[in-house]
Amino acid sequence: MNCLLGTLALALGAAASAVAALAWPRPARRRTAVAATAAALGCAAAAFAVLENALLTRDFGVAFVAGHGGRDVSPYYTVTSLWSGLEGSMVLWLLALAGFAWAAGRQRGEDPRRPVAMTVITLVCGCFFALTLLAANPFEPAAAVPTDGPGPNPLLRGHPLMGIHPPLLYLGYTGLVVPFAYGVAGLLTGDGGRDGVRTIRRWTLLAWIPLTAGIVLGAWWSYGVLGWGGYWEWDPVENASIVPWFVTTALLHSLMVQERRGALRRWNVSLAVAAFLLVLTGTFLTRSGAVSSVHSFTASAVGPALLGLLTAALVATGGLLARHADRSGAGPGLRPGFSRDLLFLVNNVLLTTLAFTVLLGTLAPLVVEAVRGTPVTVGPPYFDRMAIPPALALLAAMAAAPLVPWARADRRILARRLRVPVALGALTVTLLGLTGRHRPLPLLAFGLGAFALAAVATRAAETIKSRGGTTLARGAVRRRLGGLLVHAGIALAAVAVTGSSAYAQEGRARLATGQVLDVGGYRVRMEGTEEVRTGDSLTGTARVSLSHDGWPLGVFRPSLVLYPASGAPPVANPAIRTGPFDDVYLTVTEIDPATRSAEIGVAVNPLMVLLWTAGGLIVAGGVAAVPQGRRRRAAIPRPPDGAATTAREEAGTR
């Protein structure tokens, strides 16, 4: 409790110091604001440590521990149970937010927007610290001290990724406060110079990386725990993470145009502001109880407070954009003709279209129910139908962009660069189409995926060749290849998502001992059932043997796990046989001990290894693309074909 009080006091002190440094610019006042921010970070870390200690020592006198702790919970899931509940998750949120505030304050160099940006960041910190203390205090004493607790939500203790997935998402969410603050500062100061663009891009990328990793690991957790055989269901809370990701990805690309051409200044400020506002929207959905989801928390006093904060932020930033957008300057227009400028603009339009489409489908049921009082459901068919066309168009634009010069494209250069990727894409569609087993939409997705991968390989080879053997560790080459690696990962993900969605096969049957079920060339044979009680859980397991075309692949044990103290229904624990081309996903939904039979579900999901590999490539590419300190631009030789574009425009890319 004292830690939270200290954190709030120091956050307010940091905000006051930042305001003072803004009004009366002096180095001492700026140092005071940074010191107060560091102290607030220390208090947030202390609050985190105290709450973790209460969980580990089973201090059931604390209401949060009494509601989420348990004597028989393993140490790992005891630690991760801190963010399994609303109040504890807010402590983790504060720790991440204070960390970014401190890091932003310590940034070196002179930037006229920094005092304004730090004022905005510290004010946001103060709002969240006050919200946690007043509406979600995790140190409230328990009304009655129990002898034991129910443990964390059963869905959150069946997979080790729950120790990584939420913290990464929180880092991504809170990190977007820095671009937001610099966007607001740009509106107020009118400074949108090149150094400012680089600052926003660096902080945006530092938030984009953990946000991306959190989304990928969340899909993996959903696949490995929920037992439904999929990894993305367009759940409202899943959507609340992907919408800021779309906007942030658009911002990263349009900032490149501004850095190189000085264009899209107002648009970039709007995207930087919108990304964090969408984070606030998602935070409200997750913590208000407004949506029903396995990812969300129950209704609490935090919901109205978050709604008030979101409303205030929308009104304030909307007013600033309406009144001061001209201060950021329109900048020069985009070059006419077919160029990378144009493709990046198309990229932005498609990404924001995807964000709006998903946001509309997520919020529409809430609005309709509030107005009419009638529940409305928007399910996967809407999202699939509305999101797939712009996603495929985005894949095509993403693949072509690195091959097109920044200046107006020379036809000969463009034809030379596109020749191999287009040929490989067309060959892929032709060969797969001749089999007669593929529908038009998967054919198009596979063809675009091949085109994109070939384009990435072509551009990567040209980048390395143009550097004359320069080591790949050099900053410019590393960042450029990092961006291409992200594109390769997205192309692979598109192929994997298409394959796993269009060609999955499923089967379900009640099997007694010795009976078999055949699905997709695999044979599942029931070998028996068993029940085991361990700690605070009761596990019912079906033993099944798996074979493919007569070759034995082993014995697998899908199970149902019941935690009686939680009062929750049994949790499915699937067994997954992962192969190079497909996964066999085995689940059990009911076990009858009397007849030693079980209801067995089998799903054969193609290309799942490719999907998780693609996620790793995207994150790795983002890490490689992070700029490290101030850079010096190396000279880039003029292309040997004597193109009209400058060497910098011709070779410039990520």
Side-chain angles (χ1 to χ4, degrees), residues 306-316:
L306 277 171
L307 182 59
L309 177 60
L310 174 61
T311 303
L314 284 170
V315 171

Side-chain angles (χ1 to χ4, degrees), residues 376-566:
V376 175
T377 301
V378 176
Y382 160 82
F383 293 104
D384 292 341
R385 185 166 54 252
M386 299 298 293
I388 287 177
L392 291 175
L394 179 65
L395 183 60
M398 178 203 77
L403 299 178
V404 178
W406 285 100
R408 186 169 182 172
D410 182 275
R411 292 182 179 180
R412 291 173 301 168
I413 296 176
L414 196 57
R416 173 172 54 82
R417 287 182 169 182
L418 290 175
R419 183 171 59 244
V420 173
V422 170
L424 286 177
L427 182 63
T428 299
V429 172
T430 301
L431 292 178
L432 292 177
L434 289 175
T435 66
R437 298 166 50 192
H438 304 278
R439 297 189 299 274
L441 192 61
L443 271 179
L444 178 60
F446 290 145
L448 287 174
F451 169 65
L453 290 171
V456 166
T458 299
R459 191 61 181 132
E462 288 189 0
T463 298
I464 295 172
K465 182 179 179 180
S466 70
R467 292 292 175 164
T470 302
T471 174
L472 299 184
R474 290 285 295 273
V477 177
R478 175 180 52 78
R479 289 192 297 273
R480 189 164 300 173
L481 294 180
L484 293 174
L485 189 61
V486 171
H487 283 197
I490 291 176
L492 288 175
V495 171
V497 168
T498 301
S500 63
S501 302
Y503 303 106
Q505 300 181 62
E506 298 181 355
R508 183 174 299 276
R510 175 171 289 279
L511 301 179
T513 302
Q515 292 182 327
V516 300
L517 173 63
D518 294 320
V519 178
Y522 291 90
R523 169 161 289 187
V524 177
R525 184 179 189 273
M526 171 65 78
E527 303 294 343
T529 63
E530 57 191 42
E531 287 189 1
V532 177
R533 181 177 289 276
T534 305
D536 63 341
S537 66
L538 177 63
T539 304
T541 303
R543 270 186 307 111
V544 298
S545 58
L546 182 67
S547 61
H548 185 259
D549 294 334
W551 290 93
L553 300 176
V555 176
F556 296 85
R557 292 174 170 80
S559 61
L560 291 172
V561 184
L562 176 66
Y563 297 92
S566 70

Side-chain angles (χ1 to χ4, degrees), residues 168-397:
L168 285 173
L169 280 182
Y170 287 10
L171 284 173
Y173 289 154
T174 57
L176 290 176
V177 73
V178 183
F180 168 78
Y182 274 92
V184 172
L187 288 173
L188 292 174
T189 64
D191 189 296
R194 193 169 191 172
D195 290 339
V197 174
R198 291 176 180 172
T199 298
I200 293 180
R201 186 170 178 232
R202 180 169 60 251
W203 284 107
T204 303
L205 189 56
L206 289 173
W208 182 89
I209 292 169
L211 179 59
T212 304
I215 291 172
V216 172
L217 293 182
W220 197 357
W221 166 80
S222 179
Y223 184 68
V225 169
L226 298 184
W228 61 287
Y231 45 85
W232 194 267
E233 200 178 11
W234 296 110
D235 177 277
V237 181
E238 292 174 343
N239 297 346
S241 66
I242 200 69
V243 170
W245 187 87
F246 285 140
V247 174
T248 305
T249 305
L251 176 61
L252 286 171
H253 286 80
S254 57
L255 283 171
M256 295 172 62
V257 177
Q258 183 178 348
E259 183 179 0
R260 182 172 292 269
R261 293 274 295 115
L264 302 179
R265 293 180 183 177
R266 296 174 183 171
W267 175 246
N268 287 333
V269 168
S270 300
L271 289 179
V273 170
F276 188 66
L277 292 179
L278 289 168
V279 166
L280 293 180
T281 303
T283 306
F284 166 72
L285 291 175
T286 306
R287 289 166 172 79
S288 65
V291 296
S292 177
S293 165
V294 298
H295 308 271
S296 63
F297 302 104
T298 57
S300 71
V302 171
L306 277 171
L307 182 59
L309 177 60
L310 174 61
T311 303
L314 284 170
V315 171
T317 55
L320 285 175
L321 284 169
R323 185 171 182 178
H324 297 299
D326 57 325
R327 289 195 177 185
S328 60
L334 297 178
R335 289 184 175 94
F338 188 69
S339 65
R340 195 178 304 177
D341 299 38
L342 176 62
L343 286 177
F344 272 28
L345 180 60
V346 171
N347 169 290
N348 264 238
V349 170
L350 292 171
L351 283 167
T352 51
T353 298
L354 281 168
F356 176 77
T357 299
V358 177
L359 184 65
L360 179 63
T362 304
L363 296 181
L366 301 179
V367 176
V368 171
E369 185 173 358
V371 174
R372 297 184 179 178
T374 304
V376 175
T377 301
V378 176
Y382 160 82
F383 293 104
D384 292 341
R385 185 166 54 252
M386 299 298 293
I388 287 177
L392 291 175
L394 179 65
L395 183 60

Side-chain angles (χ1 to χ4, degrees), residues 22-169:
L22 179 62
W24 302 282
R26 291 183 183 178
R29 291 193 174 93
R30 295 181 184 178
R31 288 193 296 269
T32 300
V34 174
T37 304
L41 172 61
C43 282
F48 181 89
V50 169
L51 189 56
E52 284 287 14
N53 182 69
L55 287 165
L56 290 168
T57 58
R58 277 74 176 181
D59 184 359
F60 296 114
V62 178
F64 182 81
V65 180
H68 301 278
R71 296 192 182 279
D72 294 321
V73 181
S74 68
Y76 179 80
Y77 290 111
T78 297
V79 170
T80 62
S81 65
L82 184 142
W83 45 87
S84 71
L86 172 64
E87 296 83 359
S89 73
M90 292 301 296
V91 173
L92 179 61
W93 181 280
L94 295 185
L95 180 62
L97 185 61
F100 275 106
W102 172 75
R106 283 180 53 84
Q107 185 173 291
R108 296 180 179 179
E110 291 297 326
D111 188 332
R113 299 169 308 156
R114 186 177 304 159
V116 179
M118 285 307 301
T119 301
V120 174
I121 293 172
T122 53
L123 287 174
V124 172
C125 288
C127 289
F128 271 97
F129 294 159
L131 184 150
T132 303
L133 181 63
L134 299 176
N137 186 354
F139 299 106
E140 290 288 345
V145 181
T147 58
D148 198 359
N153 186 325
L155 289 171
L156 306 182
R157 50 193 296 195
H159 201 291
L161 285 180
M162 283 312 298
I164 309 171
H165 158 58
L168 285 173
L169 280 182

